[in-house]
Amino acid sequence: MKHLTSIRELYRDQAIELLDSAQQLSHVGERDIKKLPTLRGKTVVNLFFENSTRTRISFEIAAKRLSADVINVSAESSSVSKGESLKDTAQTLEALGADAIVLRHPLSGAPKNLASQGWISASVINAGDGSHEHPTQALLDALTLRQAFGSATDLAGVRVLIVGDILHSRVARSNILLLNLLGANVEIAGPKSLIPEGIEAMGVSTSNSFEEALSQRPDAVMMLRVQKERMQGEYFTSAQDYSNSWSLGSERLAMLREDAVILHPGPMNRGFEISAEAADDSRSQVLKQVSNGVAVRMAVLHHCLAGGER
Ligand code: CP
């Protein structure tokens, strides 16, 4: 595996191998000296055209734990702000020694385009492209679910409910693809205006009632942020109406099984799509997701840059 631009590039066994690697690599974070020499001499560039806390920092920590050199480039502080194209920017970074470009971009398909046009020979890893995909987020979510449910392989039979703004969510799209690949059952719930038409073709069932979806007793509930920055026009009548119907608050929390888990990719808007009570509930895996992000990104960098060999 040289690039990772979409979950569609992974076979089931490759996805499981990545999760196994991530599980092993997670132990590096528990050592006094949190370093492996695997990527010594390699240079990883985090090229971010959109803001990020978790993804950018965890890719940086992951690369450093593997002894790579890391450079962070944000579009607004680079010559992109003077009109330089993605092609010229990437070729410039490669001329400066980049072996991998971790790309977050507002345009769906930008990482795939960069990986496939022959402009550069560096690895390209998708750190989130528009509303399209966020493959490393899906992998860290799957690792979190594997740990929560004690699986060493896939997620066969695990029932995951994804709630909220599915339409604009790259996290939802990558999760649906990966959860299906790993044998989980996925239901999505949200207002009709925020559920893409024809999404059932991706192998999910849909619901327009949070209560009805919760009454099916899912094993995991993944809450999604409403992505106002990607919205043109109105998708619901008011923030209060949205929250009344789609927020995970105390009454809906009480409907969740005792052994269910709550996921949220972050950033959370407490009091909007998730209450503080739910975010801090003992079933919440939100911070575990964040720490698993480092392990998963170590595994992906390792497989892309070192062919998975230790
Ligand atoms: N989950 C996620 O992508 O968070 P950031 O935008 O902070 O990277």
Side-chain angles (χ1 to χ4, degrees), residues 131-181:
S131 300
H132 177 229
E133 275 214 49
H134 195 349
T136 57
Q137 177 71 46
L139 285 163
L140 74 87
D141 292 336
L143 181 64
T144 307
L145 290 170
R146 262 190 15 164
Q147 292 166 348
F149 298 113
S151 168
T153 55
D154 62 15
L155 295 170
V158 174
R159 292 178 305 126
V160 183
L161 172 64
I162 306 177
V163 182
D165 179 1
I166 313 294
L167 184 65
H168 301 100
S169 177
R170 53 198 179 202
V171 173
R173 248 166 288 280
S174 283
N175 260 290
I176 290 168
L177 291 168
L178 185 60
L179 289 167
N180 278 335
L181 194 63

mmCIF file of all heavy atoms in Angstrom, residues 131-181:
data_model
loop_
_atom_site.group_PDB
_atom_site.id
_atom_site.type_symbol
_atom_site.label_atom_id
_atom_site.label_comp_id
_atom_site.label_asym_id
_atom_site.label_seq_id
_atom_site.Cartn_x
_atom_site.Cartn_y
_atom_site.Cartn_z
ATOM 1 N N SER A 131 -16.673 16.640 1.664
ATOM 2 C CA SER A 131 -17.684 15.772 2.290
ATOM 3 C C SER A 131 -17.472 14.330 1.876
ATOM 4 O O SER A 131 -18.350 13.488 2.061
ATOM 5 C CB SER A 131 -19.090 16.205 1.856
ATOM 6 O OG SER A 131 -19.314 17.525 2.253
ATOM 7 N N HIS A 132 -16.304 14.031 1.300
ATOM 8 C CA HIS A 132 -16.104 12.732 0.657
ATOM 9 C C HIS A 132 -15.676 11.647 1.634
ATOM 10 O O HIS A 132 -16.442 10.764 1.977
ATOM 11 C CB HIS A 132 -15.079 12.907 -0.481
ATOM 12 C CG HIS A 132 -14.725 11.656 -1.185
ATOM 13 N ND1 HIS A 132 -13.425 11.284 -1.418
ATOM 14 C CD2 HIS A 132 -15.509 10.675 -1.705
ATOM 15 C CE1 HIS A 132 -13.424 10.136 -2.075
ATOM 16 N NE2 HIS A 132 -14.666 9.744 -2.257
ATOM 17 N N GLU A 133 -14.417 11.726 2.129
ATOM 18 C CA GLU A 133 -13.925 10.637 2.990
ATOM 19 C C GLU A 133 -12.918 11.132 4.028
ATOM 20 O O GLU A 133 -12.271 12.181 3.850
ATOM 21 C CB GLU A 133 -13.289 9.537 2.138
ATOM 22 C CG GLU A 133 -14.305 8.543 1.609
ATOM 23 C CD GLU A 133 -13.728 7.139 1.516
ATOM 24 O OE1 GLU A 133 -13.125 6.653 2.490
ATOM 25 O OE2 GLU A 133 -13.881 6.556 0.435
ATOM 26 N N HIS A 134 -12.785 10.346 5.072
ATOM 27 C CA HIS A 134 -11.802 10.600 6.134
ATOM 28 C C HIS A 134 -11.363 9.200 6.598
ATOM 29 O O HIS A 134 -11.751 8.726 7.666
ATOM 30 C CB HIS A 134 -12.472 11.392 7.254
ATOM 31 C CG HIS A 134 -11.539 12.024 8.233
ATOM 32 N ND1 HIS A 134 -10.184 11.737 8.293
ATOM 33 C CD2 HIS A 134 -11.767 12.943 9.213
ATOM 34 C CE1 HIS A 134 -9.631 12.457 9.267
ATOM 35 N NE2 HIS A 134 -10.577 13.199 9.829
ATOM 36 N N PRO A 135 -10.553 8.526 5.752
ATOM 37 C CA PRO A 135 -10.306 7.095 6.013
ATOM 38 C C PRO A 135 -9.617 6.798 7.339
ATOM 39 O O PRO A 135 -9.939 5.779 7.976
ATOM 40 C CB PRO A 135 -9.448 6.656 4.815
ATOM 41 C CG PRO A 135 -9.009 7.892 4.124
ATOM 42 C CD PRO A 135 -9.964 8.975 4.466
ATOM 43 N N THR A 136 -8.687 7.647 7.775
ATOM 44 C CA THR A 136 -8.010 7.316 9.045
ATOM 45 C C THR A 136 -8.951 7.503 10.235
ATOM 46 O O THR A 136 -8.791 6.843 11.262
ATOM 47 C CB THR A 136 -6.697 8.115 9.241
ATOM 48 O OG1 THR A 136 -6.973 9.519 9.178
ATOM 49 C CG2 THR A 136 -5.665 7.741 8.186
ATOM 50 N N GLN A 137 -9.962 8.399 10.099
ATOM 51 C CA GLN A 137 -10.963 8.532 11.165
ATOM 52 C C GLN A 137 -11.766 7.230 11.278
ATOM 53 O O GLN A 137 -12.011 6.728 12.383
ATOM 54 C CB GLN A 137 -11.899 9.701 10.868
ATOM 55 C CG GLN A 137 -13.019 9.887 11.888
ATOM 56 C CD GLN A 137 -12.525 10.399 13.239
ATOM 57 O OE1 GLN A 137 -11.736 11.317 13.292
ATOM 58 N NE2 GLN A 137 -12.999 9.803 14.330
ATOM 59 N N ALA A 138 -12.155 6.673 10.114
ATOM 60 C CA ALA A 138 -12.924 5.424 10.155
ATOM 61 C C ALA A 138 -12.086 4.306 10.768
ATOM 62 O O ALA A 138 -12.600 3.481 11.538
ATOM 63 C CB ALA A 138 -13.376 5.045 8.746
ATOM 64 N N LEU A 139 -10.805 4.265 10.442
ATOM 65 C CA LEU A 139 -9.941 3.210 11.003
ATOM 66 C C LEU A 139 -9.809 3.364 12.518
ATOM 67 O O LEU A 139 -9.846 2.387 13.267
ATOM 68 C CB LEU A 139 -8.560 3.246 10.330
ATOM 69 C CG LEU A 139 -8.531 2.678 8.901
ATOM 70 C CD1 LEU A 139 -7.270 3.131 8.165
ATOM 71 C CD2 LEU A 139 -8.605 1.150 8.917
ATOM 72 N N LEU A 140 -9.668 4.603 13.005
ATOM 73 C CA LEU A 140 -9.532 4.776 14.462
ATOM 74 C C LEU A 140 -10.861 4.478 15.156
ATOM 75 O O LEU A 140 -10.873 3.966 16.289
ATOM 76 C CB LEU A 140 -8.969 6.159 14.806
ATOM 77 C CG LEU A 140 -9.860 7.405 14.671
ATOM 78 C CD1 LEU A 140 -10.661 7.664 15.926
ATOM 79 C CD2 LEU A 140 -8.992 8.613 14.359
ATOM 80 N N ASP A 141 -11.970 4.755 14.481
ATOM 81 C CA ASP A 141 -13.274 4.398 15.058
ATOM 82 C C ASP A 141 -13.424 2.877 15.137
ATOM 83 O O ASP A 141 -13.904 2.336 16.135
ATOM 84 C CB ASP A 141 -14.415 5.006 14.231
ATOM 85 C CG ASP A 141 -14.450 6.529 14.329
ATOM 86 O OD1 ASP A 141 -13.939 7.074 15.332
ATOM 87 O OD2 ASP A 141 -14.968 7.183 13.413
ATOM 88 N N ALA A 142 -12.984 2.203 14.071
ATOM 89 C CA ALA A 142 -13.074 0.729 14.063
ATOM 90 C C ALA A 142 -12.173 0.131 15.144
ATOM 91 O O ALA A 142 -12.551 -0.848 15.807
ATOM 92 C CB ALA A 142 -12.689 0.186 12.690
ATOM 93 N N LEU A 143 -10.984 0.711 15.325
ATOM 94 C CA LEU A 143 -10.094 0.208 16.379
ATOM 95 C C LEU A 143 -10.757 0.381 17.747
ATOM 96 O O LEU A 143 -10.719 -0.517 18.602
ATOM 97 C CB LEU A 143 -8.748 0.951 16.330
ATOM 98 C CG LEU A 143 -7.708 0.502 17.358
ATOM 99 C CD1 LEU A 143 -7.296 -0.952 17.129
ATOM 100 C CD2 LEU A 143 -6.455 1.405 17.306
ATOM 101 N N THR A 144 -11.400 1.525 17.952
ATOM 102 C CA THR A 144 -12.079 1.799 19.224
ATOM 103 C C THR A 144 -13.208 0.791 19.449
ATOM 104 O O THR A 144 -13.390 0.279 20.565
ATOM 105 C CB THR A 144 -12.616 3.251 19.227
ATOM 106 O OG1 THR A 144 -11.538 4.133 18.893
ATOM 107 C CG2 THR A 144 -13.191 3.636 20.579
ATOM 108 N N LEU A 145 -13.951 0.488 18.386
ATOM 109 C CA LEU A 145 -15.045 -0.494 18.512
ATOM 110 C C LEU A 145 -14.497 -1.894 18.760
ATOM 111 O O LEU A 145 -15.041 -2.641 19.567
ATOM 112 C CB LEU A 145 -15.920 -0.474 17.241
ATOM 113 C CG LEU A 145 -16.767 0.785 17.059
ATOM 114 C CD1 LEU A 145 -17.390 0.815 15.669
ATOM 115 C CD2 LEU A 145 -17.868 0.861 18.126
ATOM 116 N N ARG A 146 -13.410 -2.239 18.074
ATOM 117 C CA ARG A 146 -12.796 -3.563 18.309
ATOM 118 C C ARG A 146 -12.411 -3.705 19.774
ATOM 119 O O ARG A 146 -12.642 -4.733 20.406
ATOM 120 C CB ARG A 146 -11.526 -3.722 17.445
ATOM 121 C CG ARG A 146 -11.751 -4.464 16.195
ATOM 122 C CD ARG A 146 -10.545 -4.883 15.393
ATOM 123 N NE ARG A 146 -9.209 -4.873 15.933
ATOM 124 C CZ ARG A 146 -8.172 -5.512 15.389
ATOM 125 N NH1 ARG A 146 -8.346 -6.242 14.303
ATOM 126 N NH2 ARG A 146 -6.973 -5.431 15.907
ATOM 127 N N GLN A 147 -11.783 -2.667 20.322
ATOM 128 C CA GLN A 147 -11.353 -2.708 21.731
ATOM 129 C C GLN A 147 -12.569 -2.779 22.655
ATOM 130 O O GLN A 147 -12.587 -3.546 23.614
ATOM 131 C CB GLN A 147 -10.501 -1.475 22.048
ATOM 132 C CG GLN A 147 -9.156 -1.485 21.340
ATOM 133 C CD GLN A 147 -8.446 -0.136 21.377
ATOM 134 O OE1 GLN A 147 -9.033 0.884 21.743
ATOM 135 N NE2 GLN A 147 -7.188 -0.118 20.987
ATOM 136 N N ALA A 148 -13.607 -1.981 22.345
ATOM 137 C CA ALA A 148 -14.783 -1.937 23.226
ATOM 138 C C ALA A 148 -15.496 -3.280 23.265
ATOM 139 O O ALA A 148 -16.034 -3.673 24.302
ATOM 140 C CB ALA A 148 -15.739 -0.845 22.754
ATOM 141 N N PHE A 149 -15.495 -3.988 22.119
ATOM 142 C CA PHE A 149 -16.251 -5.239 22.052
ATOM 143 C C PHE A 149 -15.350 -6.474 22.065
ATOM 144 O O PHE A 149 -15.807 -7.592 21.803
ATOM 145 C CB PHE A 149 -17.201 -5.223 20.842
ATOM 146 C CG PHE A 149 -18.222 -4.109 20.960
ATOM 147 C CD1 PHE A 149 -18.219 -3.043 20.090
ATOM 148 C CD2 PHE A 149 -19.140 -4.107 22.004
ATOM 149 C CE1 PHE A 149 -19.123 -2.005 20.223
ATOM 150 C CE2 PHE A 149 -20.056 -3.064 22.152
ATOM 151 C CZ PHE A 149 -20.044 -2.013 21.272
ATOM 152 N N GLY A 150 -14.065 -6.257 22.370
ATOM 153 C CA GLY A 150 -13.154 -7.380 22.578
ATOM 154 C C GLY A 150 -12.889 -8.209 21.341
ATOM 155 O O GLY A 150 -12.644 -9.409 21.441
ATOM 156 N N SER A 151 -12.919 -7.570 20.170
ATOM 157 C CA SER A 151 -12.653 -8.334 18.937
ATOM 158 C C SER A 151 -11.188 -8.183 18.541
ATOM 159 O O SER A 151 -10.610 -7.103 18.631
ATOM 160 C CB SER A 151 -13.535 -7.818 17.799
ATOM 161 O OG SER A 151 -13.078 -8.349 16.574
ATOM 162 N N ALA A 152 -10.607 -9.287 18.060
ATOM 163 C CA ALA A 152 -9.228 -9.235 17.551
ATOM 164 C C ALA A 152 -9.239 -9.245 16.030
ATOM 165 O O ALA A 152 -8.180 -9.210 15.408
ATOM 166 C CB ALA A 152 -8.432 -10.420 18.072
ATOM 167 N N THR A 153 -10.406 -9.315 15.425
ATOM 168 C CA THR A 153 -10.457 -9.349 13.958
ATOM 169 C C THR A 153 -11.425 -8.295 13.427
ATOM 170 O O THR A 153 -11.091 -7.117 13.371
ATOM 171 C CB THR A 153 -10.854 -10.753 13.445
ATOM 172 O OG1 THR A 153 -12.093 -11.126 14.072
ATOM 173 C CG2 THR A 153 -9.780 -11.769 13.744
ATOM 174 N N ASP A 154 -12.630 -8.745 13.036
ATOM 175 C CA ASP A 154 -13.550 -7.793 12.399
ATOM 176 C C ASP A 154 -14.637 -7.345 13.375
ATOM 177 O O ASP A 154 -14.500 -7.516 14.596
ATOM 178 C CB ASP A 154 -14.136 -8.399 11.114
ATOM 179 C CG ASP A 154 -14.961 -9.654 11.400
ATOM 180 O OD1 ASP A 154 -15.313 -9.890 12.574
ATOM 181 O OD2 ASP A 154 -15.253 -10.397 10.450
ATOM 182 N N LEU A 155 -15.695 -6.756 12.849
ATOM 183 C CA LEU A 155 -16.779 -6.252 13.709
ATOM 184 C C LEU A 155 -18.101 -6.935 13.336
ATOM 185 O O LEU A 155 -19.163 -6.311 13.364
ATOM 186 C CB LEU A 155 -16.887 -4.727 13.556
ATOM 187 C CG LEU A 155 -15.675 -3.937 14.036
ATOM 188 C CD1 LEU A 155 -15.775 -2.467 13.607
ATOM 189 C CD2 LEU A 155 -15.540 -4.018 15.568
ATOM 190 N N ALA A 156 -18.006 -8.226 12.995
ATOM 191 C CA ALA A 156 -19.190 -8.961 12.540
ATOM 192 C C ALA A 156 -20.317 -8.853 13.557
ATOM 193 O O ALA A 156 -20.123 -9.137 14.740
ATOM 194 C CB ALA A 156 -18.831 -10.425 12.296
ATOM 195 N N GLY A 157 -21.464 -8.412 13.075
ATOM 196 C CA GLY A 157 -22.660 -8.375 13.906
ATOM 197 C C GLY A 157 -22.789 -7.166 14.817
ATOM 198 O O GLY A 157 -23.839 -6.973 15.431
ATOM 199 N N VAL A 158 -21.752 -6.337 14.914
ATOM 200 C CA VAL A 158 -21.845 -5.137 15.766
ATOM 201 C C VAL A 158 -22.794 -4.146 15.080
ATOM 202 O O VAL A 158 -22.689 -3.895 13.880
ATOM 203 C CB VAL A 158 -20.448 -4.507 16.002
ATOM 204 C CG1 VAL A 158 -20.574 -3.191 16.761
ATOM 205 C CG2 VAL A 158 -19.550 -5.473 16.755
ATOM 206 N N ARG A 159 -23.735 -3.611 15.851
ATOM 207 C CA ARG A 159 -24.743 -2.700 15.278
ATOM 208 C C ARG A 159 -24.409 -1.261 15.643
ATOM 209 O O ARG A 159 -24.361 -0.912 16.826
ATOM 210 C CB ARG A 159 -26.140 -3.097 15.754
ATOM 211 C CG ARG A 159 -26.545 -4.466 15.132
ATOM 212 C CD ARG A 159 -27.893 -4.958 15.573
ATOM 213 N NE ARG A 159 -27.967 -5.014 17.020
ATOM 214 C CZ ARG A 159 -28.922 -4.422 17.738
ATOM 215 N NH1 ARG A 159 -29.872 -3.728 17.151
ATOM 216 N NH2 ARG A 159 -28.925 -4.521 19.037
ATOM 217 N N VAL A 160 -24.125 -0.470 14.621
ATOM 218 C CA VAL A 160 -23.672 0.917 14.826
ATOM 219 C C VAL A 160 -24.720 1.875 14.270
ATOM 220 O O VAL A 160 -25.121 1.765 13.106
ATOM 221 C CB VAL A 160 -22.312 1.165 14.131
ATOM 222 C CG1 VAL A 160 -21.825 2.583 14.405
ATOM 223 C CG2 VAL A 160 -21.270 0.144 14.593
ATOM 224 N N LEU A 161 -25.145 2.809 15.109
ATOM 225 C CA LEU A 161 -26.089 3.847 14.692
ATOM 226 C C LEU A 161 -25.318 5.161 14.527
ATOM 227 O O LEU A 161 -24.656 5.611 15.469
ATOM 228 C CB LEU A 161 -27.176 3.997 15.772
ATOM 229 C CG LEU A 161 -28.158 5.166 15.614
ATOM 230 C CD1 LEU A 161 -28.995 5.004 14.339
ATOM 231 C CD2 LEU A 161 -29.061 5.277 16.846
ATOM 232 N N ILE A 162 -25.372 5.739 13.326
ATOM 233 C CA ILE A 162 -24.686 7.016 13.055
ATOM 234 C C ILE A 162 -25.764 8.098 12.942
ATOM 235 O O ILE A 162 -26.712 7.952 12.157
ATOM 236 C CB ILE A 162 -23.852 6.941 11.760
ATOM 237 C CG1 ILE A 162 -22.870 5.751 11.809
ATOM 238 C CG2 ILE A 162 -23.084 8.236 11.536
ATOM 239 C CD1 ILE A 162 -22.042 5.561 10.538
ATOM 240 N N VAL A 163 -25.620 9.170 13.729
ATOM 241 C CA VAL A 163 -26.715 10.137 13.869
ATOM 242 C C VAL A 163 -26.261 11.559 13.541
ATOM 243 O O VAL A 163 -25.238 12.027 14.058
ATOM 244 C CB VAL A 163 -27.239 10.144 15.338
ATOM 245 C CG1 VAL A 163 -28.423 11.103 15.491
ATOM 246 C CG2 VAL A 163 -27.634 8.743 15.776
ATOM 247 N N GLY A 164 -27.062 12.241 12.718
ATOM 248 C CA GLY A 164 -26.844 13.672 12.531
ATOM 249 C C GLY A 164 -26.726 14.074 11.079
ATOM 250 O O GLY A 164 -27.490 13.612 10.232
ATOM 251 N N ASP A 165 -25.741 14.933 10.803
ATOM 252 C CA ASP A 165 -25.542 15.498 9.467
ATOM 253 C C ASP A 165 -24.731 14.515 8.616
ATOM 254 O O ASP A 165 -23.519 14.630 8.485
ATOM 255 C CB ASP A 165 -24.808 16.842 9.608
ATOM 256 C CG ASP A 165 -24.537 17.501 8.268
ATOM 257 O OD1 ASP A 165 -24.933 16.948 7.224
ATOM 258 O OD2 ASP A 165 -23.902 18.580 8.281
ATOM 259 N N ILE A 166 -25.446 13.550 8.054
ATOM 260 C CA ILE A 166 -24.776 12.527 7.235
ATOM 261 C C ILE A 166 -24.372 13.143 5.890
ATOM 262 O O ILE A 166 -23.322 12.819 5.332
ATOM 263 C CB ILE A 166 -25.724 11.319 6.985
ATOM 264 C CG1 ILE A 166 -26.411 10.849 8.278
ATOM 265 C CG2 ILE A 166 -24.993 10.181 6.280
ATOM 266 C CD1 ILE A 166 -25.533 10.268 9.315
ATOM 267 N N LEU A 167 -25.213 14.053 5.391
ATOM 268 C CA LEU A 167 -25.028 14.615 4.050
ATOM 269 C C LEU A 167 -23.634 15.215 3.859
ATOM 270 O O LEU A 167 -23.003 15.012 2.825
ATOM 271 C CB LEU A 167 -26.099 15.694 3.796
ATOM 272 C CG LEU A 167 -26.117 16.331 2.416
ATOM 273 C CD1 LEU A 167 -26.482 15.315 1.343
ATOM 274 C CD2 LEU A 167 -27.088 17.510 2.382
ATOM 275 N N HIS A 168 -23.159 15.957 4.859
ATOM 276 C CA HIS A 168 -21.885 16.664 4.695
ATOM 277 C C HIS A 168 -20.722 15.924 5.344
ATOM 278 O O HIS A 168 -19.626 16.481 5.457
ATOM 279 C CB HIS A 168 -22.005 18.070 5.301
ATOM 280 C CG HIS A 168 -23.085 18.894 4.671
ATOM 281 N ND1 HIS A 168 -24.323 19.068 5.240
ATOM 282 C CD2 HIS A 168 -23.116 19.542 3.482
ATOM 283 C CE1 HIS A 168 -25.069 19.818 4.449
ATOM 284 N NE2 HIS A 168 -24.368 20.121 3.379
ATOM 285 N N SER A 169 -20.980 14.688 5.813
ATOM 286 C CA SER A 169 -19.980 14.035 6.671
ATOM 287 C C SER A 169 -19.082 13.045 5.947
ATOM 288 O O SER A 169 -19.503 11.949 5.572
ATOM 289 C CB SER A 169 -20.687 13.323 7.832
ATOM 290 O OG SER A 169 -19.727 12.654 8.605
ATOM 291 N N ARG A 170 -17.813 13.411 5.817
ATOM 292 C CA ARG A 170 -16.810 12.470 5.284
ATOM 293 C C ARG A 170 -16.561 11.342 6.285
ATOM 294 O O ARG A 170 -16.208 10.229 5.912
ATOM 295 C CB ARG A 170 -15.517 13.218 4.971
ATOM 296 C CG ARG A 170 -14.963 14.048 6.118
ATOM 297 C CD ARG A 170 -13.965 15.061 5.601
ATOM 298 N NE ARG A 170 -13.388 15.917 6.630
ATOM 299 C CZ ARG A 170 -12.844 17.100 6.357
ATOM 300 N NH1 ARG A 170 -12.830 17.576 5.133
ATOM 301 N NH2 ARG A 170 -12.309 17.824 7.323
ATOM 302 N N VAL A 171 -16.771 11.651 7.561
ATOM 303 C CA VAL A 171 -16.608 10.619 8.605
ATOM 304 C C VAL A 171 -17.670 9.531 8.409
ATOM 305 O O VAL A 171 -17.367 8.332 8.470
ATOM 306 C CB VAL A 171 -16.728 11.255 10.009
ATOM 307 C CG1 VAL A 171 -16.739 10.180 11.083
ATOM 308 C CG2 VAL A 171 -15.598 12.248 10.247
ATOM 309 N N ALA A 172 -18.906 9.948 8.158
ATOM 310 C CA ALA A 172 -19.984 8.960 7.953
ATOM 311 C C ALA A 172 -19.676 8.092 6.748
ATOM 312 O O ALA A 172 -19.791 6.855 6.810
ATOM 313 C CB ALA A 172 -21.323 9.668 7.773
ATOM 314 N N ARG A 173 -19.270 8.715 5.645
ATOM 315 C CA ARG A 173 -19.036 7.942 4.414
ATOM 316 C C ARG A 173 -17.921 6.914 4.612
ATOM 317 O O ARG A 173 -18.049 5.748 4.249
ATOM 318 C CB ARG A 173 -18.703 8.875 3.249
ATOM 319 C CG ARG A 173 -19.786 8.909 2.176
ATOM 320 C CD ARG A 173 -19.613 10.066 1.216
ATOM 321 N NE ARG A 173 -19.938 11.314 1.876
ATOM 322 C CZ ARG A 173 -21.184 11.756 2.056
ATOM 323 N NH1 ARG A 173 -22.195 11.070 1.588
ATOM 324 N NH2 ARG A 173 -21.417 12.883 2.690
ATOM 325 N N SER A 174 -16.803 7.323 5.211
ATOM 326 C CA SER A 174 -15.703 6.366 5.411
ATOM 327 C C SER A 174 -16.111 5.291 6.412
ATOM 328 O O SER A 174 -15.747 4.121 6.262
ATOM 329 C CB SER A 174 -14.435 7.093 5.893
ATOM 330 O OG SER A 174 -13.820 7.758 4.814
ATOM 331 N N ASN A 175 -16.864 5.692 7.445
ATOM 332 C CA ASN A 175 -17.300 4.698 8.433
ATOM 333 C C ASN A 175 -18.245 3.677 7.825
ATOM 334 O O ASN A 175 -18.136 2.482 8.111
ATOM 335 C CB ASN A 175 -17.955 5.388 9.633
ATOM 336 C CG ASN A 175 -16.991 5.500 10.791
ATOM 337 O OD1 ASN A 175 -16.649 4.500 11.417
ATOM 338 N ND2 ASN A 175 -16.507 6.711 11.055
ATOM 339 N N ILE A 176 -19.187 4.140 7.000
ATOM 340 C CA ILE A 176 -20.129 3.192 6.379
ATOM 341 C C ILE A 176 -19.351 2.159 5.562
ATOM 342 O O ILE A 176 -19.581 0.948 5.661
ATOM 343 C CB ILE A 176 -21.163 3.949 5.505
ATOM 344 C CG1 ILE A 176 -22.116 4.755 6.397
ATOM 345 C CG2 ILE A 176 -21.939 2.973 4.617
ATOM 346 C CD1 ILE A 176 -22.991 5.756 5.640
ATOM 347 N N LEU A 177 -18.382 2.640 4.776
ATOM 348 C CA LEU A 177 -17.597 1.727 3.931
ATOM 349 C C LEU A 177 -16.816 0.731 4.786
ATOM 350 O O LEU A 177 -16.819 -0.474 4.521
ATOM 351 C CB LEU A 177 -16.628 2.530 3.048
ATOM 352 C CG LEU A 177 -17.274 3.376 1.949
ATOM 353 C CD1 LEU A 177 -16.247 4.341 1.339
ATOM 354 C CD2 LEU A 177 -17.873 2.486 0.861
ATOM 355 N N LEU A 178 -16.140 1.240 5.819
ATOM 356 C CA LEU A 178 -15.274 0.357 6.613
ATOM 357 C C LEU A 178 -16.098 -0.582 7.506
ATOM 358 O O LEU A 178 -15.785 -1.774 7.620
ATOM 359 C CB LEU A 178 -14.294 1.181 7.463
ATOM 360 C CG LEU A 178 -13.276 0.355 8.241
ATOM 361 C CD1 LEU A 178 -12.411 -0.495 7.310
ATOM 362 C CD2 LEU A 178 -12.384 1.247 9.096
ATOM 363 N N LEU A 179 -17.153 -0.055 8.113
ATOM 364 C CA LEU A 179 -17.975 -0.909 8.985
ATOM 365 C C LEU A 179 -18.601 -2.040 8.181
ATOM 366 O O LEU A 179 -18.648 -3.187 8.633
ATOM 367 C CB LEU A 179 -19.035 -0.070 9.697
ATOM 368 C CG LEU A 179 -18.486 0.873 10.786
ATOM 369 C CD1 LEU A 179 -19.548 1.888 11.210
ATOM 370 C CD2 LEU A 179 -17.994 0.082 11.995
ATOM 371 N N ASN A 180 -19.064 -1.734 6.967
ATOM 372 C CA ASN A 180 -19.608 -2.795 6.107
ATOM 373 C C ASN A 180 -18.538 -3.816 5.753
ATOM 374 O O ASN A 180 -18.786 -5.027 5.783
ATOM 375 C CB ASN A 180 -20.204 -2.196 4.825
ATOM 376 C CG ASN A 180 -21.611 -1.666 5.056
ATOM 377 O OD1 ASN A 180 -22.309 -2.113 5.960
ATOM 378 N ND2 ASN A 180 -22.026 -0.718 4.247
ATOM 379 N N LEU A 181 -17.330 -3.314 5.426
ATOM 380 C CA LEU A 181 -16.222 -4.211 5.073
ATOM 381 C C LEU A 181 -15.912 -5.165 6.228
ATOM 382 O O LEU A 181 -15.535 -6.317 6.025
ATOM 383 C CB LEU A 181 -14.993 -3.347 4.751
ATOM 384 C CG LEU A 181 -13.788 -3.966 4.056
ATOM 385 C CD1 LEU A 181 -14.161 -4.467 2.659
ATOM 386 C CD2 LEU A 181 -12.642 -2.944 3.953
#
